[in-house]
Amino acid sequence: MGDMDKAGVHFVIISCQIIFSAFHLIASVTLQSGINPLVFATYREFLACMLMFGMLWVRGVSMRSIAVSDYCRFAFLGLFSFMNIVGTIFALEYLSPNRYSIMQPSIPVLA
């Protein structure tokens, strides 16, 4: 792996951490303003869906190239992602964003 590849990997890892941290702060501020948590989670998932479709379009991948058997898997993945976000939003009502972001990496271990 060359130096450029390592720099790209580090860039992606740091970008993901910044995006996840920003989500906790945005969710906390949004919940304090009084928005319904389920509405916020729905908007977040809709935005994520549009971004993923945009990435498919940019890469030139057609929806027809995805196997029909994978649609059910994607539907369950979307449902579980939505449930994860709803759980995060309800947890942010009781925890500070800093405490939740510290605890988030342990979620797969606890579940």
Side-chain angles (χ1 to χ4, degrees), residues 2-68:
D3 289 338
M4 197 61 166
D5 291 338
K6 288 181 183 178
V9 169
H10 284 91
F11 175 75
V12 169
I13 291 172
I14 291 170
S15 298
C16 287
Q17 185 61 39
I18 290 171
I19 290 169
F20 279 120
S21 299
F23 169 71
H24 297 158
L25 295 174
I26 291 170
S28 180
V29 170
T30 305
L31 288 173
Q32 290 174 356
S33 70
I35 191 169
N36 185 349
L38 293 176
V39 171
F40 180 72
T42 304
Y43 285 158
R44 190 243 184 224
E45 290 297 314
F46 181 74
L47 177 65
C49 183
M50 292 298 111
L51 288 173
M52 286 189 282
F53 275 125
M55 287 179 7
L56 281 175
W57 182 72
V58 167
R59 293 184 57 110
V61 177
S62 172
M63 288 296 291
R64 293 183 182 144
S65 66
I66 298 173
V68 176

